């Protein structure tokens, strides 16, 4: 490590020591009891296999964590920092959102999420073609996160190179509850939220409204969100739970685009001049609703039915092009699980089916300096996905469990091209993409607190309708040369714990991918400086992940994760240029995250988060790179001060400093960008304050 790096580390240690000294005192027994209850490994229940399973019985790598609460809410990266395997790159460009990857899956995305299946409160946020938009999620309402790190297509189908499950805060049990919260921060950050709810008999209901404003660190990056969500949960019988969610969001966000290395060095706050001239950004509205019914008969069987639907209309301005995309998406999934006796063994058998759809009406116009020009693409797009799967979890002995699953999917893509002439041949047509995804895993429990596992699993990933529709030259229809990617993963790991003192896991994996989807750009023409996609011949992702949760004292929590991935092209030749052996762009090879949190007897806490990121390449040729960097964050808060006659009103204050040492770094890259515009710089040192008034 360089001398400068060592000085930075020493500064952090000194800061942590100072915080502990200031807040040190007698530790209450209640704190110890609470920590022991929450963080005992044997009590962790995993739902990523679609049925509740103890973590010690899961033969796949999983990671769970309580979402970090004291955050600004600019990026999902703040809430899930330190989750091994998962990388969330905060782009600080809310018109395109975070870049989310898991073991390299999803690195290709230039907006939204690809390759990683995301489920919010047990309802899929990922659409039938594998694309996910996260504008509906209030990041400061997250409570719990669960990650199936290996491919999950055997249970979840298309675009499941990892499954990320997000859970919002549960509805309070009190007869009435009300909260008013706000966040104030640098670069014009302001958010306020109002939530009101009630419990009537066996029914809980809640409604909330959030307004979010952000001027942005860079020029031309202002964003404004208005979000309303209604939730209802009813236990209308001892065996039945009905949950209904509905939401609305309206968003307007400008896009500063990416910069050259020279522009970043001169002024990282600049926006791409072409983005400003074309008024790049997006505005849109989304409505969504879901109904979920669970019926459980004792502990023997479970029936779950989810029905969900959303309508979304977006107007997206990019360089050279204006895209209008109204769409309707939704689906239904039915799942049944039953424990049966087979030769004296309690075997857990599951079967399920899913059907999803996405219907688009895409119109592309020429962008004349932010003004709408002539239309050059007008087409209806239809995506329908159906899947059927089954799973068995078999206890072979008291120490050995085996889990096997298999799923069959078919995804139909249809397009009707409304622009045809002698110069532009009608490109209407359809494509069918199919996949069979098996998985098999075994777990062996050496001791109650020590187990190892191994598995082989598969995944497949179709292009999204947007990726199929983006064709150089601006012609309509779907790209006939873009095919789904397929992956096979081999994985082995170890998990251990010691009462409530520590828990850790270690995982190794190798993933072989065929036809990996890789983005590229062309110079602006009638089709605009658009992102296009092609299949790489084959690639290999191999790596290791380590996570540790340790309590040296009942009042002191430490969390550490290390993620290593070596992702390279095994066979990749484009236009007689051989990229074989090069690193896959957009993937951080080494990441370390550590968080030290200290709790005081007077309900104060302080936390220091350290994150280190390795060198990232930005193009297939590996000629453009982003240097490694480290950032440090400090959070301080109080669990709340109760007041009023009945002490049911509480004021909660917290805040923090992000990027304490004002490190200048590139948070994300635009893969294979033209004109060397690869770089998306992140803010320097920034401050924020959260305040929440709660009545229960």
């Amino acid at each position: 490590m360089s001398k400068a790096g060592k000085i930075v580390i020493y500064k952090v240690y000194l800061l942590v020591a100072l915080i502990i000294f200031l807040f040190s005192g007698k530790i209450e027994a209640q704190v110890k009891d609470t920590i022991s209850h929450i963080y005992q490994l044997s009590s962790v229940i995993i739902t990523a296999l679609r049925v509740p399973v103890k973590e010690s019985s899961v033969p796949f790598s999983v990671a769970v964590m309580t979402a970090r609460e004291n955050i600004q809410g600019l990026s999902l990266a703040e809430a899930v920092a330190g989750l091994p395997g998962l990388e969330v790159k905060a782009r600080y460009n809310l018109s395109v959102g975070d870049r989310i990857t898991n073991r390299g899956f999803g690195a290709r995305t230039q907006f939204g999420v690809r390759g990683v299946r995301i489920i919010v409160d047990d309802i899929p946020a990922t659409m039938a073609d594998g694309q996910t938009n996260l504008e509906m999620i209030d990041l400061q309402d997250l409570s719990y996160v669960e990650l199936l790190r290996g491919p999950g297509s055997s249970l979840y189908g298309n675009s499941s190179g990892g499954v990320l499950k997000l859970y919002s805060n549960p509805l309070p049990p009190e007869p009435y509850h009300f909260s008013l919260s706000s966040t104030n921060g640098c670069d014009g950050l302001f958010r306020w939220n109002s939530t009101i709810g009630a419990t009537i008999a066996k029914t809980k209901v809640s409604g909330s409204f959030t307004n979010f404003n952000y001027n942005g660190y860079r020029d031309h990056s202002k964003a404004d969100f208005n979000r309303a969500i209604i939730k209802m949960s009813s236990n209308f019988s001892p065996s039945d739970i009905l949950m209904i969610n509905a939401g609305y969001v309206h968003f307007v966000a400008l896009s500063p685009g990416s910069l050259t290395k020279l522009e970043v060095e001169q002024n990282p706050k600049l926006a791409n001049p072409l983005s400003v001239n074309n008024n790049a950004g997006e505005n849109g509205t989304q409505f969504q609703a879901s109904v979920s019914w669970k019926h459980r008969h004792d502990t023997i069987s479970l029936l779950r039915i989810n029905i969900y639907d959303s309508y979304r209309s977006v107007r997206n301005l990019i360089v050279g092009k204006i895209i209008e995309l109204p769409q309707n998406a939704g689906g239904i999934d039915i799942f049944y699980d039953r424990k049966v006796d087979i030769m004296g063994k309690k075997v857990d058998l599951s079967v399920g089916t899913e059907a999803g759809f996405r219907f688009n009406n895409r119109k592309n116009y020429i962008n004349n300096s932010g003004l709408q020009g002539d239309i050059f693409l007008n087409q209806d797009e239809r995506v329908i996905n159906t899947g059927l799967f089954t799973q068995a979890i078999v206890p072979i002995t008291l120490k050995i469990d085996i889990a096997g699953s298999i799923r069959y999917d078919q995804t139909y893509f249809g397009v009707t091209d409304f622009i045809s002439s002698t110069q532009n041949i009608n490109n209407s047509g359809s494509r069918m993409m199919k996949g069979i995804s098996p998985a098999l895993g075994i777990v062996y429990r050496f001791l109650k607190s020590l187990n190892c596992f191994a598995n082989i699993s598969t995944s497949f990933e179709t292009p999204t309708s947007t990726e199929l529709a983006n064709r150089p030259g601006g012609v309509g229809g779907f790209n006939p040369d873009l095919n789904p990617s397929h992956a096979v993963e081999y994985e082995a790991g170890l998990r251990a714990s010691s009462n409530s003192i520590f828990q850790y896991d270690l995982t190794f994996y190798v993933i072989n991918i065929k036809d990996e989807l890789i983005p590229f750009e062309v110079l602006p023409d009638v089709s605009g400086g658009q992102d296009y996609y092609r299949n790489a011949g084959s690639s290999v992702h191999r790596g290791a992940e380590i996570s540790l949760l340790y309590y040296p004292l009942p009042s002191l929590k430490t969390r550490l994760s290390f993620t290593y991935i070596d992702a390279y092209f095994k066979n990749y030749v484009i236009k007689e240029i051989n990229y074989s052996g090069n690193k896959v762009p957009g993937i951080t090879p080494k990441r370390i995250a550590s968080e030290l949190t200290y709790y005081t007897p007077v309900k104060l806490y302080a936390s220091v988060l350290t994150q280190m990121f390795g060198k990232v390449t930005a193009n297939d040729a590996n000629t453009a790179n982003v240097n490694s960097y480290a950032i440090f964050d400090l959070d301080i808060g109080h669990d709340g001060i109760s007041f009023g006659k009945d002490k049911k009103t509480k004021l909660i204050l917290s805040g923090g400093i992000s990027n304490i040492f004002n490190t200048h770094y590139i948070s994300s890259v635009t893969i294979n960008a033209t004109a060397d515009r690869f770089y998306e710089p992140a803010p320097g040192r920034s401050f924020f304050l959260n305040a929440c008034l709660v009545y229960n």
Side-chain angles (χ1 to χ4, degrees):
M1 182 180 293
S2 66
K3 182 178 180 180
K6 291 181 179 179
I7 292 174
V8 170
I9 296 295
Y10 293 153
K11 287 181 178 179
V12 173
Y13 288 159
L14 181 62
L15 181 62
V16 172
L18 179 61
I19 292 170
I20 293 175
F21 174 76
L22 292 174
F23 290 142
S24 60
K26 182 179 178 181
I27 307 304
E28 297 177 341
Q30 182 180 359
V31 174
K32 182 176 180 179
D33 293 341
T34 301
I35 293 173
S36 176
H37 173 72
I38 293 176
Y39 291 101
Q40 193 167 5
L41 181 63
S42 60
S43 65
V44 177
I45 301 298
I46 303 300
T47 63
L49 301 188
R50 290 188 177 264
V51 291
V53 181
K54 286 185 178 180
E55 187 177 32
S56 59
S57 298
V58 176
F60 302 94
S61 59
V62 291
V64 298
M65 68 177 292
T66 301
R68 300 178 69 247
E69 296 180 342
N70 186 23
I71 63 175
Q72 300 178 83
L74 291 173
S75 167
L76 181 63
E78 303 168 43
V80 302
L83 202 62
L86 187 75
E87 180 178 14
V88 182
K89 287 290 193 180
R91 307 177 80 166
Y92 301 98
N93 179 349
L94 299 186
S95 71
V96 296
D98 296 327
R99 182 192 299 277
I100 300 177
T101 66
N102 176 65
R103 295 182 174 177
F105 289 103
R108 79 181 194 269
T109 180
Q110 305 294 52
F111 65 92
V113 182
R114 313 282 199 282
V116 180
R117 190 167 181 87
I118 297 182
I119 299 170
V120 182
D121 292 332
D122 291 326
I123 301 297
T126 301
M127 292 178 282
D129 61 349
Q131 183 173 329
T132 308
N133 300 299
L134 301 179
E135 288 92 351
M136 188 63 72
I137 299 176
D138 187 342
L139 298 177
Q140 292 177 314
D141 188 41
L142 296 180
S143 66
Y144 183 72
V145 180
E146 186 175 316
L147 175 67
L148 177 62
R149 287 181 274 177
S153 288
S154 64
L155 287 174
Y156 293 94
N158 180 26
S159 211
S160 297
V163 180
L164 179 63
K165 302 190 72 175
L166 305 175
Y167 291 94
S168 59
N169 289 311
L171 299 178
E174 288 81 10
Y176 302 99
H177 66 273
F178 171 79
S179 69
L180 183 63
S181 63
S182 70
T183 299
N184 289 268
C186 294
D187 300 316
L189 172 62
F190 178 73
R191 168 196 177 272
W192 70 270
N193 169 273
S194 177
T195 301
I196 188 169
T199 299
I200 304 172
K202 297 181 180 180
T203 300
K204 302 175 185 177
V205 63
S206 173
S208 67
F209 178 81
T210 302
N211 174 253
F212 177 93
N213 288 277
Y214 181 55
N215 289 337
Y217 165 70
R218 297 173 59 195
D219 297 339
H220 198 76
S221 57
K222 182 178 176 59
D224 179 76
F225 286 67
N226 288 292
R227 184 185 297 110
I229 296 175
I230 297 175
K231 302 178 182 179
M232 189 196 79
S233 175
S234 179
N235 294 65
F236 58 87
S237 83
S239 303
D240 297 276
I241 300 176
L242 179 67
M243 291 172 286
I244 300 175
N245 287 357
Y248 157 85
V249 63
H250 176 70
F251 50 93
V252 179
L254 299 176
S255 174
S258 51
L259 301 177
T260 65
K261 184 177 181 179
L262 180 60
E263 288 171 334
V264 171
E265 292 173 349
Q266 291 177 341
N267 184 0
K269 292 187 176 184
L270 290 175
N272 181 344
L274 290 175
S275 294
V276 176
N277 184 58
N278 284 261
N279 196 29
E282 71 171 4
N283 63 82
T285 301
Q286 180 173 333
F287 298 88
Q288 71 178 39
S290 66
V291 178
S292 178
W293 173 53
K294 295 180 182 179
H295 173 79
R296 181 178 292 279
H297 178 64
D298 296 328
T299 58
I300 299 175
S301 65
L302 169 67
L303 173 65
R304 182 174 63 239
I305 300 176
N306 294 329
I307 303 173
Y308 52 96
D309 187 74
S310 69
Y311 174 79
R312 178 183 174 92
S313 180
V314 175
R315 182 177 172 87
N316 188 13
L317 285 75
I318 62 176
V319 177
K321 181 188 300 185
I322 296 176
I323 305 168
E324 289 189 351
L325 187 64
Q327 66 182 40
N328 183 225
I332 180 172
D333 68 80
I334 303 172
F335 175 81
Y336 180 73
D337 174 75
R338 185 176 181 85
K339 292 179 174 63
V340 297
D341 286 314
I342 300 178
M343 300 179 63
K345 306 292 185 182
K346 289 287 186 180
V347 179
D348 196 316
L349 295 177
S350 306
V351 64
T353 183
E354 285 186 289
F357 65 88
R358 180 183 180 186
F359 300 147
N360 303 331
N361 175 227
R362 187 185 305 272
K363 292 183 175 67
N364 289 355
Y365 303 86
I366 295 175
N367 187 340
N368 292 323
S369 300
L371 300 177
Q372 181 173 303
D374 294 336
I375 189 170
F376 63 89
L377 186 145
N378 182 7
Q379 62 188 35
D380 281 345
E381 302 166 359
R382 303 170 297 282
V383 184
I384 301 174
N385 170 263
T386 56
L388 178 66
F389 61 91
T390 184
Q391 174 181 243
I393 303 175
V394 185
I396 302 300
T397 70
L398 291 176
K399 291 188 174 183
I400 300 176
D401 289 344
I402 291 179
S405 54
I406 187 168
R407 174 165 170 149
Y408 172 75
D409 279 89
Q410 61 179 24
T411 305
Y412 165 83
F413 293 88
V415 59
T416 302
D417 182 9
F418 295 117
I419 296 181
S420 61
S421 64
T422 55
Q423 292 79 24
N424 184 11
I425 300 173
N426 189 288
N427 289 285
S428 300
S430 64
R431 298 185 64 183
M432 181 71 77
M433 302 183 187
K434 304 177 182 180
I436 298 178
S437 307
L440 180 65
I442 183 171
V443 60
Y444 178 78
R445 291 178 289 276
F446 294 98
L447 303 168
K448 183 179 180 180
S449 58
L450 176 64
N451 66 80
C452 66
F453 62 90
N455 64 75
I456 178 173
S457 55
T458 60
S459 72
F460 80 100
E461 182 178 356
T462 69
T464 68
S465 58
T466 297
E467 292 164 352
L468 286 169
N470 290 347
R471 304 179 63 184
V475 298
F478 284 154
N479 188 340
D481 301 319
L482 196 59
N483 298 308
S485 65
H486 294 82
V488 179
E489 176 176 274
Y490 306 90
E491 179 184 68
L494 180 73
R495 287 187 290 255
S497 68
S498 176
N499 296 323
S500 60
I501 303 302
F502 77 88
Q503 61 186 53
Y504 72 86
D505 71 71
L506 171 64
T507 304
F508 299 93
Y509 65 89
V510 176
I511 309 173
N512 295 312
I513 304 177
K514 180 181 178 182
D515 292 332
E516 183 165 9
L517 293 157
I518 300 294
F520 68 98
E521 291 186 355
V522 297
L523 292 173
D525 54 16
V526 67
S527 62
Q530 179 69 61
D531 300 314
Y532 304 99
Y533 295 85
R534 59 194 173 206
N535 294 106
S538 63
S539 60
V540 176
H541 297 190
R542 58 187 181 183
E545 297 156 354
I546 303 172
S547 66
L548 171 69
L549 182 63
Y550 177 51
Y551 284 90
L553 297 171
S555 59
L556 190 64
K557 180 178 76 171
T558 61
R559 191 162 54 88
L560 173 69
S561 70
F562 170 75
T563 300
Y564 168 78
I565 177 171
D566 178 23
Y568 63 91
F569 296 117
K570 184 178 180 180
N571 180 21
Y572 183 28
V573 179
I574 294 292
K575 296 180 180 179
E576 299 182 353
I577 301 176
N578 191 347
Y579 296 122
S580 302
N582 287 5
K583 300 297 183 183
V584 179
I587 299 174
T588 306
K590 297 176 184 177
R591 290 182 285 123
I592 300 175
S594 65
E595 186 170 24
L596 178 67
T597 305
Y598 182 74
Y599 305 89
T600 76
V602 292
K603 297 184 179 181
L604 281 169
Y605 67 86
S607 174
V608 175
L609 173 65
T610 303
Q611 298 182 85
M612 301 180 183
F613 300 86
K615 183 178 179 180
V616 178
T617 187
N619 60 354
D620 293 343
N622 291 181
T623 56
N625 299 286
V626 172
N627 294 328
S628 58
Y629 62 92
I631 52 175
F632 305 86
D633 300 336
L634 171 65
D635 298 332
I636 298 176
H638 193 277
D639 287 346
I641 302 172
S642 299
F643 58 93
K645 184 178 180 180
D646 51 7
K647 299 292 184 180
K648 291 185 177 181
T649 305
K650 180 186 290 188
L651 177 63
I652 304 171
L653 296 175
S654 61
I657 307 173
S658 298
N659 193 2
I660 297 173
F661 300 112
N662 199 31
T663 301
H664 297 284
Y665 67 98
I666 302 299
S667 60
S668 184
V669 295
T670 299
I671 298 173
N672 291 326
T674 58
D676 294 331
R677 292 190 174 278
F678 301 105
Y679 308 104
E680 298 175 86
R685 183 188 301 112
S686 58
F687 304 84
F688 68 95
L689 175 66
N690 289 317
C692 182
L693 184 66
V694 181
Y695 174 79
N696 285 323

